[in-house]
Amino acid sequence: MNKMYFWNYLKGKPSTFWFSLLSLVVSALTLIYLIKQVDLSREHNRNSVKPYLNFYAIAVGNNKDGLYLSNEGLGPALITEISINGKRYPDLRSSDWQKITKETGLTYSCFAFGALKEKMAIRAGADDVPLIVLSKSTDLPPTCYLESLALQEKIILKVKYTSMYKESEETALLFKF
């Protein structure tokens, strides 16, 4: 009985009521669509400034041989953690690299070392950030070129970083031929 009463109540409403009801439904659907579009826009903004750190090695037999870091993403990367062979280095300095090369049985005088530290920002598009490269010395022994190849086999370098939206990522240099 109550259903019939409600239907009779709606049946007698003027057309302005129906237009108002239709406007309310359209407005609600528009609001739902707008909320979805805002979420898509946020996701797009987040992805459009995402960093992508990458390690790469150069081994062509000249004084550019070594390990490099680049940010191939579109946004800056903030380094949060650095580890080599499982040991954490909050501030990876030249003296740390010298110890690491000694521990792995390499001649540290063959190499020049770059610095890397936690809370360091790597700008978008940063290429050729040297981490460890052959020394610029012109009288390098021929074994240094072989050691630059051996270096890739003996060092496992991991870097954790975040984007400007605080999304965490990790990249690792794991050369095992």
Side-chain angles (χ1 to χ4, degrees):
M1 253 242 203
N2 287 339
K3 289 181 187 178
M4 286 301 271
Y5 177 74
F6 183 68
W7 177 248
N8 288 334
Y9 172 75
L10 290 178
K11 203 163 121 182
K13 290 294 181 186
S15 60
T16 55
F17 171 79
W18 293 109
F19 283 123
S20 298
L21 185 61
L22 180 62
S23 296
L24 184 63
V25 170
V26 169
S27 297
L29 292 174
T30 303
L31 179 62
I32 291 169
Y33 179 77
L34 178 65
I35 289 170
K36 287 186 180 204
Q37 289 303 312
V38 167
D39 286 343
L40 285 173
S41 179
R42 272 194 199 125
E43 185 66 25
H44 170 74
N45 290 344
R46 188 174 284 123
N47 288 332
S48 67
V49 293
K50 197 172 213 172
Y52 180 72
L53 290 186
N54 189 27
F55 296 109
Y56 62 96
I58 296 177
V60 293
N62 63 28
N63 63 359
K64 281 199 126 219
D65 287 1
L67 301 176
Y68 293 85
L69 175 68
S70 68
N71 183 355
E72 297 170 8
L74 299 174
L78 182 63
I79 295 175
T80 57
E81 188 177 316
I82 305 160
S83 67
I84 296 180
N85 296 342
K87 185 178 177 190
R88 188 169 176 188
Y89 291 89
D91 189 4
L92 188 57
R93 297 178 296 239
S94 182
S95 59
D96 295 321
W97 279 115
Q98 289 176 3
K99 279 191 253 178
I100 293 164
T101 53
K102 279 183 184 178
E103 289 170 1
T104 55
L106 302 173
T107 310
Y108 74 86
S109 61
C110 287
F111 301 102
F113 306 98
L116 197 60
K117 51 175 90 172
E118 290 179 5
K119 298 183 182 173
M120 179 178 181
I122 308 293
R123 66 177 168 75
D127 268 347
D128 295 339
V129 177
L131 297 176
I132 182 167
V133 295
L134 279 177
S135 174
K136 301 282 187 211
S137 174
T138 55
D139 58 341
L140 284 177
T143 57
C144 285
Y145 294 107
L146 294 174
E147 287 194 25
S148 71
L149 292 172
L151 175 73
Q152 298 170 26
E153 183 72 19
K154 296 182 176 191
I155 290 182
I156 299 171
L157 175 61
K158 290 184 181 181
V159 172
K160 291 183 181 179
Y161 60 97
T162 63
S163 70
M164 59 196 295
Y165 286 102
K166 305 292 185 216
E167 295 171 328
S168 294
E169 300 285 338
E170 180 177 331
T171 189
L173 178 69
L174 302 167
F175 286 112
K176 295 292 179 191
F177 299 112

